[in-house]
């Protein structure tokens, strides 16, 4: 079965401090677009909603705009920016770098279904 949806009309939107997520749900694909404003940090904006000390979501992402710094619980760190494709396992914090809005496309599924929801 062929399915087509547009990001202009997402199936759901979740707002959280300094950002929001829009998701589309299709057969075999849950896709998310996350928008983070300057000053956004997972541990401050989403952590209180999730009720965990670090993000428990696996991400397969593509950065459309802005820069995001990621720090894993084991201390490993990296920064991603426009055009970067990344895989980030659970157990991390992340924050916006600079004064530009960050937009990330996430194909892993869990971000679209579980991110920024209370456990």
């Amino acid at each position: 079965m062929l399915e087509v949806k547009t990001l202009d009309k997402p199936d759901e939107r979740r707002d959280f401090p300094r950002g929001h997520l829009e998701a589309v749900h299709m057969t075999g694909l849950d896709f998310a677009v996350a928008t983070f404003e300057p000053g956004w940090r997972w541990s401050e904006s989403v952590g209180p909603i999730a009720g965990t000390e670090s993000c428990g979501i696996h991400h397969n992402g593509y950065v459309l705009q802005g820069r995001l710094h990621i720090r894993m619980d084991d201390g490993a760190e990296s920064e991603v920016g426009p055009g970067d494709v990344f895989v980030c396992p659970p157990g991390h914090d992340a924050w916006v770098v600079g004064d530009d809005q960050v937009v990330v496309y996430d194909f892993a599924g869990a971000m679209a279904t579980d991110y920024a929801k209370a456990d």
Side-chain angles (χ1 to χ4, degrees):
M1 170 172 53
L2 176 64
E3 289 181 81
V4 178
K5 292 190 176 183
T6 177
L7 294 176
D8 293 335
K9 296 179 182 177
D11 293 321
E12 65 177 305
R13 176 182 167 124
R14 280 178 238 134
D15 293 295
F16 42 83
R18 295 191 171 126
H20 66 274
L21 177 138
E22 295 172 317
V24 294
H25 306 290
M26 304 168 77
T27 304
L29 175 65
D30 291 294
F31 177 80
V33 178
T35 302
F36 307 123
E37 301 297 333
W40 176 89
R41 184 177 184 126
W42 185 91
S43 56
E44 297 169 3
S45 297
V46 181
I49 297 167
T52 58
E53 290 189 26
S54 61
C55 181
I57 300 290
H58 175 93
H59 303 281
N60 292 341
Y62 171 79
V63 181
L64 185 65
Q65 70 182 46
R67 299 201 66 76
L68 195 64
H69 191 94
I70 302 168
R71 179 181 298 143
M72 302 303 298
D73 288 350
D74 68 6
E77 297 185 53
S78 188
E79 192 169 299
V80 294
D84 288 342
V85 176
F86 66 96
V87 173
C88 181
H92 58 272
D93 193 6
W95 55 89
V96 171
V97 176
D99 297 326
D100 294 326
Q101 181 183 67
V102 174
V103 177
V104 175
Y105 290 169
D106 194 298
F107 297 87
M111 189 166 193
T113 59
D114 299 328
Y115 192 82
K117 287 185 175 180
D119 284 340

